[in-house]
Amino acid sequence: MQIDCKTAWENCLLFIKGKIGDKSFKTWFEPIIPIKLENQILTIQVPSQFFYEWLEEHYVDVLRSAIVAELGRTARLEYSVVVDTGNSTGKQLTVKLPTSPSKGSNGHTPTIEKEQVTEPFILSNHLNPKYTFHNFIEGDCNRLARSAGMAVANKPGVTSFNPLMVYGGVGLGKTHLVQSIGNDIKRQYPEKVIVYVSSESFTGQFIESLKNNRIQEFTNYFAKVDILIIDDIQFLSGKEKTQEIFFHIFNHLHQSGKQIIMTSDCPPRDLKGLEERLLSRFKWGLTADLQQPDYETRIAIIEQKMQADGIAVPRSVLEYVAYSVDTNIRELEGVLISLIAHASLNRKEIDLELAKQTLKNLIHDIDTEVSIDYIQKAVSEFLHIEMEDLKGKTRKKEIVIARQIAMYLAKEYTTHSLKSIGYYFGGRDHSTVIHAIQAVNDMIDTDSRVKNNIHDIKKKLKLKVV
Ligand code: ADP
Ligand code: MG
């Protein structure tokens, strides 16, 4: 008698549960959905390629044993990976697990081959429902861009924010923000045609249509759109023909009161190789930037992400990760994924020790460079001065000294330029930083209390690394 895939998989899970830790089981096995069982082949669906690789890497043996125990020696397992194509239906890709006993024995890694998609001009919005305003944490770093985005989402094409141009460095949330706008418009105005496209994909589709004599179709496709979201516009640099067609589409949409939303990794004035007439169009609407999130925003982002994953982490870990990773949010997320993976692999709780270990492996220059934020925090805690005051204007003596010490340490411990250090201290100029360093050097020679304080703060900074 053939049993159904659900029952088979449930039995496999019972087998696996006895073999691995609770946390690993929860993280890596509960999200799996059995899809079908045919000819002794059990197909399971996993949420991402990363997930699939992780299973392959760490659980292939226990999986195989479970399948064999449940379905017999000839049984096989196939994965179906949900590929993030941006539309809510997702896309299934099927990959086969090698039939050899384990991946390590022949060094063979199964590859995933994407099916060729040959209908480039079917309207599909490429919105990823996981990006929403709700999970886009607000902070000083993104307030203007976020609220402009919400205004546009409430009244697309009607506000003066048209086009809306969002710019900022990598991993600071451009894609998340503009996708949130798209998703919110879709929710409020289901009848509107929304298209999200990266500039690379726009260029690729354009070249493809040139080759196949389908330019007209290409233009018609974009002319039908009510909301055009075009991501990473900097990739249009130097591509004259693509810019030209984009210029026409842009004008057409704008004149018809359609909303255009764009992102770029730098302010429009720095977009090299973009035609002047295109640049001047961008200035019609609103340009809003995304900056590096400050410490508090980073804490809020980590909290939210861990909560969304249903994982509890101690406050000390939250703070440690937020102190240590201040470059961008994508990197922050990478660290969190690693932490979860390590905890689940080693069947450990996520604690400070594990966080330190994980970060040490991930961030190579961590022992040579601490962040300015971290230094400010350390000085603020040690000398009992508010962070805000370190960056603020107060001229009270003890605050001025603390501020100077923090600048001095920033010069010593980071590779930031004097100008950049000044920026982190409330936008002071580089001569203030030079003066601070000089003043601290003098104090070290003349004031043993200052000297000892600096010594102790340095010890604290070094502690950051295990
Ligand atoms: P960019 O497009 O600027 O390179 P992304 O939009 O891809 O950056 O953001 C990188 C990651 O950081 C994404 O996973 C995104 O969800 C997350 N992220 C960025 N900003 C925020 C925020 N304000 N709140 C929560 N998550 C964020
Ligand atoms: Mg992006």
Side-chain angles (χ1 to χ4, degrees), residues 174-175 231-232 330:
K174 298 180 295 295
T175 300
D231 206 356
D232 289 320
R330 186 168 304 140

Side-chain angles (χ1 to χ4, degrees), residues 45-100:
Q45 180 187 303
V46 294
S48 65
Q49 163 122 16
F50 169 76
F51 203 100
Y52 151 73
E53 282 168 5
W54 191 266
L55 285 175
E56 249 291 285
E57 186 83 22
H58 301 282
Y59 299 110
V60 70
D61 290 330
V62 69
L63 266 166
R64 186 169 284 106
S65 312
I67 299 293
V68 169
E70 174 62 18
L71 299 167
R73 292 215 69 78
T74 54
R76 280 200 300 134
L77 183 68
E78 282 188 14
Y79 295 92
S80 168
V81 181
V82 178
V83 175
D84 203 352
T85 55
N87 58 29
S88 52
T89 52
K91 186 170 172 158
Q92 308 290 320
L93 276 181
T94 302
V95 294
K96 293 185 174 70
L97 196 70
T99 41
S100 56

